[in-house]
Every structure is written in structure tokens, then in C-alpha cells.
């Protein structure tokens, strides 16, 4: 009975402060953030599969009616360019400077190969080897938040606004900044509430509950990140709780410090949303 009354009280509080806002966001792309180690393994796997495909393609071309023709020269040039761009991506990744543009270049060359493979029936082995490599290219696109389609010679990628792939260390630093700024905000919020007309009221209990939920979801995100299983959904949950706090801060003018600390935290959260490719806007 007591638990039921508390639930009713909390629901009433949401009505009084405005219905709990749902984050105006959308999770897209990769279901979880692929780690640096997984990207390295993916690139190594692509290199090996490319070598396998090149050999089976060479054998298939010798047995085909396009042997020693201009079309054979074309596909060999496509594969050579693809290998060059893949090596460039690999090198840039090793130096922590791989970008979406690097991945675009790889996928653009892959689309040329795919167009050729779709038009010319070669051996089953060559097509199977290409199909295996294509599956890794799909994975690569997801890792860099690139949407693409293998359709002839013209892939049209739609990319995230993050210019390069952040390393695990950089993402962890962003999460740490969110946590550190959250501590600052909670401290200034407590001080502001003590000096406000909300002190000792239900609204103070409400915002404290919102902040507590926000901390809980932020910790969940950090734990999942440490275990290499953080997802866009984890970030969405953090942002949903942040939206409740944001609505309260907009409706209740507190101290300048509390407002400034929240504004800074909001910027940290926007950065977090971009890293996980969560389309997000504050309501």
C-alpha cells in the first residue's frame, strides 16, 4: 500500500512539473559501439579476405570469356585501388586519425567491384569470396556510422557529423567529463535549492529524483562501456533523464551558477550523443 502511494505521488509530481519529457532523439546505425580492438580485427580480416578474393577472381577471369580484355583490366584496376584505399584506412587507424572520408573511399572502390561482379557471372568461389568480404564492408560502414548501398558505381553514403572515429580513450574521456560536470551541477543545484522558495517542497523532491535517475543511467552507460557493450540505447536512456532535468531547469529559475553548470553539462551530453550517433535535440 505504501509503495502504491509513493508511485501515485511520483506520478502526480510529474503532472505538476509537466509530463516527463521523452528525449527527442533517435538511435541509428551500429547497435553497440565497436571497440578499437574489434576495428583492428575487422581491418585485419578484410585484408585477408581481399587477398583470398583477389586470387579466386584471378582464377575465374582466366576461365571466363573476358580473359585478356579491357573489362579484365578494369576489374584488376578496381581491386588495386580498393587495396590501396584499404591500406590507407588501416594506416590512418593505426595512427588514430582514421576518418569517415577514408571509409567512403574504401566503399566507393568496393561499389565498383560489386557492380562488376553483379554484371559478369564468374565462378561460384569468386562470388562467395566477394560476398564474404562484402559482409565485413557492411560492418566497417556501421563502425564509422556510414550508411551505404552497393549499387553499381555510385554509393551515396550519409555520414555522422563526427569527422573521425574517436578512440576508446577519447570516448571514455567524454563519459568522464559528463560524470565530472554532473557532480558540479548537483553541488550547485543543492546550494541553489536551499536558497530558493522550492526548499523543502515536492518540487525539490522531484528534481532530486530526476538527478538520481540520471546518475543511475550514466553509471550504467559507463559500466557497459567498460565491458565493451555500450549502445546507443544506453545513451538514449541518459538523455531521456537529462530531458527531465532540463525541463525543470527551464521552468524554475535558480542561481546563475546552477544554470551555467547545467548548460555546460548539456554541451557534454550533446557531444556524447554525437559519438554514439544518436540524433538528438533538446525540447
Amino acid at each position: 500500500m505504501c509503495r502504491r502511494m509513493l508511485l501515485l505521488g511520483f506520478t502526480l509530481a510529474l503532472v505538476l512539473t509537466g509530463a516527463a519529457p521523452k528525449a527527442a532523439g533517435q538511435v541509428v546505425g551500429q547497435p553497440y559501439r565497436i571497440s578499437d580492438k574489434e576495428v583492428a580485427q575487422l581491418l585485419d580480416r578484410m585484408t585477408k579476405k581481399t587477398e583470398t578474393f583477389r586470387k579466386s577472381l584471378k582464377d575465374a577471369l582466366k576461365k571466363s570469356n573476358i580473359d585478356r580484355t579491357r573489362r579484365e583490366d578494369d576489374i584488376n584496376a578496381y581491386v588495386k585501388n580498393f587495396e590501396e584505399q584499404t591500406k590507407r584506412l588501416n594506416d590512418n587507424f593505426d595512427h588514430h586519425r582514421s576518418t569517415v572520408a577514408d571509409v567512403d573511399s574504401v566503399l566507393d572502390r568496393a561499389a565498383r567491384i560489386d557492380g562488376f561482379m553483379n554484371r559478369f557471372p564468374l565462378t561460384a568461389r569468386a562470388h562467395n569470396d566477394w560476398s564474404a568480404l562484402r559482409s565485413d564492408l557492411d560492418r566497417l560502414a556501421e563502425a564509422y556510422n556510414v550508411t551505404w548501398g552497393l549499387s553499381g558505381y555510385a554509393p551515396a553514403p550519409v555520414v555522422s557529423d563526427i569527422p573521425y572515429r574517436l578512440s576508446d580513450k577519447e570516448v571514455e574521456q567524454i563519459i568522464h567529463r559528463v560524470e565530472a560536470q554532473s557532480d558540479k551541477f548537483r553541488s550547485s543545484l543543492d546550494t541553489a535549492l536551499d536558497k530558493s522558495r522550492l526548499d523543502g517542497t515536492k518540487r525539490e523532491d522531484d528534481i532530486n529524483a530526476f538527478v538520481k535517475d540520471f546518475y543511475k543511467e550514466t553509471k550504467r552507460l559507463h559500466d557497459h562501456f567498460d565491458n565493451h557493450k555500450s549502445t546507443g540505447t544506453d545513451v538514449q536512456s541518459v538523455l531521456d533523464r537529462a530531458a527531465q532535468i532540463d525541463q525543470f531547469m527551464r521552468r524554475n529559475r535558480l542561481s546563475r551558477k546552477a544554470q551555467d553548470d547545467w548548460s555546460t553539462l548539456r554541451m557534454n551530453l550533446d557531444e556524447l550523443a554525437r559519438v554514439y550517433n544518436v540524433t538528438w535535440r533538446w525540447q
Side-chain angles (χ1 to χ4, degrees):
M1 182 67 178
C2 181
R3 184 177 180 181
R4 184 178 179 184
M5 290 300 293
L6 287 174
L7 180 59
L8 289 173
F10 183 71
T11 303
L12 178 60
L14 294 180
V15 173
L16 291 174
T17 57
K22 180 69 175 177
Q26 180 181 7
V27 180
V28 296
Q30 182 70 22
Y32 67 93
R33 186 185 187 275
I34 184 171
S35 69
D36 291 347
K37 182 179 179 180
E38 289 173 306
V39 173
Q41 291 172 339
L42 173 62
L43 293 176
D44 286 343
R45 199 163 60 240
M46 283 176 49
T47 299
K48 293 176 182 177
K49 288 185 179 181
T50 300
E51 179 67 17
T52 299
F53 167 67
R54 186 160 58 84
K55 290 179 179 178
S56 62
L57 175 65
K58 182 179 179 180
D59 291 339
L61 290 170
K62 287 182 179 179
K63 300 174 182 178
S64 73
N65 59 3
I66 58 176
D67 185 36
R68 299 179 183 279
T69 66
R70 179 55 184 265
R71 289 174 176 172
E72 182 181 32
D73 293 338
D74 289 341
I75 186 59
N76 287 332
Y78 298 158
V79 173
K80 181 181 178 181
N81 290 336
F82 173 77
E83 289 180 309
E84 289 175 350
Q85 294 305 316
T86 301
K87 184 180 184 304
R88 179 180 178 183
L89 167 62
N90 215 329
D91 290 342
N92 284 344
F93 175 78
D94 288 341
H95 291 87
H96 305 291
R97 63 187 184 196
S98 61
T99 68
V100 165
D102 295 328
V103 176
D104 280 349
S105 294
V106 171
L107 298 178
D108 179 66
R109 274 65 178 183
R112 294 172 184 268
I113 298 172
D114 192 67
F116 182 95
M117 296 299 290
N118 285 333
R119 285 197 302 276
F120 299 102
L122 300 175
T123 63
R125 181 184 173 190
H127 281 283
N128 289 339
D129 288 344
W130 174 243
S131 180
L133 179 54
R134 266 183 40 163
S135 65
D136 280 344
L137 290 169
D138 290 337
R139 180 78 165 156
L140 177 69
E142 291 173 350
Y144 282 79
N145 292 325
V146 176
T147 301
W148 80 306
L150 282 167
S151 55
Y153 295 101
V158 178
V159 302
S160 162
D161 60 355
I162 294 290
Y164 63 95
R165 185 185 189 275
L166 297 183
S167 67
D168 290 347
K169 182 178 180 180
E170 289 172 310
V171 175
E172 186 173 31
Q173 288 173 342
I174 291 173
I175 294 175
H176 279 312
R177 283 201 293 274
V178 169
E179 292 175 326
Q181 186 59 34
S182 295
D183 289 337
K184 290 182 180 179
F185 167 66
R186 185 169 62 174
S187 177
S188 61
L189 175 65
D190 286 343
T191 300
L193 288 171
D194 289 342
K195 298 177 180 179
S196 75
R197 58 185 175 80
L198 302 178
D199 185 37
T201 67
K202 182 61 177 177
R203 289 184 181 178
E204 182 179 34
D205 294 338
D206 292 340
I207 185 60
N208 286 333
F210 297 157
V211 171
K212 182 179 179 181
D213 286 343
F214 173 77
Y215 265 78
K216 179 181 177 181
E217 293 305 317
T218 303
K219 184 180 185 303
R220 184 197 300 270
L221 166 64
H222 201 159
D223 289 344
H224 284 181
F225 175 81
D226 288 343
N227 289 290
H228 304 292
K229 59 181 183 181
S230 61
T231 68
T233 301
D234 293 328
V235 174
Q236 188 75 64
S237 293
V238 171
L239 296 174
D240 286 345
R241 275 63 181 184
Q244 292 178 316
I245 299 172
D246 189 64
Q247 187 179 79
F248 182 95
M249 295 299 291
R250 289 176 184 274
R251 292 185 174 185
N252 300 278
R253 302 303 299 177
L254 300 175
S255 69
R256 179 63 180 272
K257 186 173 186 342
Q259 295 290 344
D260 288 347
D261 284 344
W262 175 244
S263 179
T264 301
L265 179 52
R266 273 182 37 151
M267 289 189 290
N268 296 149
L269 292 169
D270 286 338
E271 187 177 18
L272 181 67
R274 288 194 297 271
V275 169
Y276 280 82
N277 204 30
V278 176
T279 303
W280 165 256
R281 60 186 174 83
W282 294 97
Q283 288 185 329

